[in-house]
Amino acid sequence: MIFKSKWHYLVSVLCFCSFSFLPLHAQISGYDVAYPSAYLLGLSSQGVVSSNPMSSLYGNTAFLSYQSKHMLDVSANASYANPNFSPLYLSGAGYLSFSESIGFGIRGKPVYLRSFPSDERYSNYAFQAFVNWKFNPYVSFAIQIGPGVSGRIGGYSSYSWNVSLSTAIQYENFRIGILLESPGTYRFDEYLGSERLREKLPERFMLGFGYKWNDWLELQLEGSRKFYENTSVDLNHKSQFIPYPVRTMYSGNVSLVIGKIESFQVLTGVGREIRMEQSLRGFTTGSIGVAGSFFPSWFGEGLFYAVSLQRSGISVKERDGGESRMAIQIQTQF
């Protein structure tokens, strides 16, 4: 019995020491960038250069300056990785076109998500107010600011400020979009029940180019740089920095829109997203969706919809990180 007791004690000490020296990121769930609307999911896009309000409401709101309608929008998305479904993630937004050059709005959207990690789920939401200003017929600016909150095992974090700035340039059939975002730093006082966790999320810089070939065809290119070298994880006052290679911090997508939103559109896109774990893992995404309008004479200027499907990790098995995503969105303009 004495030998057994000593043996159990020795094993416990070794396990504790091993746990103490494990990388903190191995103990904490990773995450990847969210697609907050069905229209964006159908394009595998972050909305930095899309001029359609169903995407720019959740991406680069500066493009809203080029239209004069008010809007209300709601979107829901979920993921599936055999045999589990993720929770239902909701987004919502409203916009008031105050004048020809100024508009105001509010929005709530997921920024970073991880639905199927090996150990826990993760969600980060931002609730922002934003204002747009059209400088001239070709250039518009926007600022988005509001509190954000993250969810992990043990509940929700303290709030932090999510701040982003964006620019929209539109000349004839060409568009350029620029967006910079700082998601903030979040503190969990009861992570895993009793641990204290503090983490800083990576800033993002996004640049996009768009070209409207004709009334029925649009092409979009987007590139993104996430500053993972500025992230930090502090668990019980023990911080860790992982020197991720800079070349792994770039991602982007190519998107194609066919048709008119007033009648029927086909959305499709191929992209590369980066998931933050112990290392930065790249996943290829492929998506397809449809969008259009119905009952325009019943709901003012119209009621618009989008339904999309996306595969994250094409040819990647779900046990290795692949997942399927689906989303639906409804927007009214008046």
Side-chain angles (χ1 to χ4, degrees):
M1 292 296 295
I2 295 176
F3 175 78
K4 185 176 180 181
S5 176
K6 290 182 177 179
W7 176 258
H8 283 180
Y9 176 77
L10 179 61
V11 170
S12 299
V13 170
L14 289 175
C15 290
F16 176 78
C17 292
S18 299
F19 180 81
S20 300
F21 288 103
L22 282 175
L24 297 185
H25 283 282
Q27 304 172 29
I28 299 169
S29 168
Y31 47 78
D32 44 20
V33 172
Y35 299 88
S37 79
Y39 202 95
L40 289 175
L41 187 74
L43 299 173
S44 287
S45 165
Q46 295 301 310
V48 64
V49 74
S50 177
S51 61
N52 190 296
M54 299 188 79
S55 59
S56 54
L57 256 178
Y58 299 102
N60 187 348
T61 63
F63 278 106
L64 296 174
S65 300
Y66 296 107
Q67 57 78 47
S68 59
K69 298 176 182 178
H70 313 307
M71 302 169 200
L72 291 174
D73 187 285
V74 63
S75 184
N77 69 80
S79 302
Y80 175 80
N82 187 33
N84 298 316
F85 277 97
S86 75
L88 190 66
Y89 299 108
L90 300 176
S91 302
Y95 179 71
L96 172 65
S97 180
F98 184 74
S99 68
E100 290 185 359
S101 59
I102 297 178
F104 303 93
I106 56 173
R107 66 184 184 184
K109 64 168 187 171
V111 180
Y112 287 101
L113 290 177
R114 188 70 196 110
S115 295
F116 303 105
S118 59
D119 51 349
E120 61 167 311
R121 289 186 173 129
Y122 173 78
S123 61
N124 173 252
Y125 264 81
F127 304 91
Q128 297 176 314
F130 60 87
V131 59
N132 307 325
W133 174 50
K134 185 161 66 172
F135 177 71
N136 59 39
Y138 310 108
V139 181
S140 294
F141 302 99
I143 180 171
Q144 304 91 18
I145 184 171
V149 66
S150 296
R152 285 191 179 278
I153 291 179
Y156 292 94
S157 69
S158 62
Y159 80 89
S160 183
W161 291 106
N162 182 302
V163 181
S164 54
L165 302 170
S166 60
T167 302
I169 302 172
Q170 190 163 290
Y171 179 75
E172 294 182 349
N173 293 338
F174 293 91
R175 299 190 308 273
I176 297 176
I178 302 171
L179 194 150
L180 299 92
E181 179 183 35
S182 177
T185 302
Y186 299 87
R187 187 186 72 250
F188 296 83
D189 292 329
E190 296 182 355
Y191 175 65
L192 296 178
S194 60
E195 310 295 325
R196 300 178 70 87
L197 172 67
R198 183 178 181 272
E199 61 180 343
K200 182 180 184 298
L201 298 180
E203 293 87 3
R204 294 193 292 168
F205 171 77
M206 290 176 279
L207 175 65
F209 299 91
Y211 180 71
K212 187 174 183 179
W213 190 270
N214 53 42
D215 291 339
W216 293 86
L217 189 64
E218 290 188 45
L219 178 67
Q220 297 178 185
L221 303 172
E222 293 180 359
S224 174
R225 163 74 155 94
K226 300 172 187 66
F227 294 86
Y228 287 108
E229 68 267 37
N230 295 335
T231 60
S232 61
V233 175
D234 188 307
L235 183 62
N236 293 331
H237 307 294
K238 295 179 181 179
S239 60
Q240 178 178 345
F241 168 75
I242 296 180
Y244 298 120
V246 172
R247 67 178 183 278
T248 63
M249 302 182 192
Y250 293 89
S251 58
N253 64 276
V254 180
S255 307
L256 190 65
V257 180
I258 304 170
K260 294 183 177 181
I261 189 65
E262 294 80 10
S263 53
F264 185 78
Q265 282 186 334
V266 175
L267 315 172
T268 184
V270 177
R272 185 76 169 169
E273 66 181 29
I274 304 298
R275 187 174 303 165
M276 196 203 84
E277 297 174 345
Q278 254 189 293
S279 60
L280 297 180
R281 297 180 63 194
F283 287 81
T284 301
T285 64
S287 58
I288 189 168
V290 294
S293 66
F294 44 78
F295 308 133
S297 61
W298 292 11
F299 299 94
E301 293 294 330
L303 187 65
F304 299 89
Y305 70 89
V307 180
S308 300
L309 298 172
Q310 183 193 69
R311 178 65 183 182
S312 173
I314 296 176
S315 75
V316 176
K317 295 180 179 180
E318 290 166 349
R319 66 171 179 266
D320 296 325
E323 66 184 73
S324 300
R325 300 165 180 160
M326 61 288 298
I328 185 170
Q329 179 181 9
I330 296 177
Q331 181 178 112
T332 180
Q333 301 179 4
F334 53 94

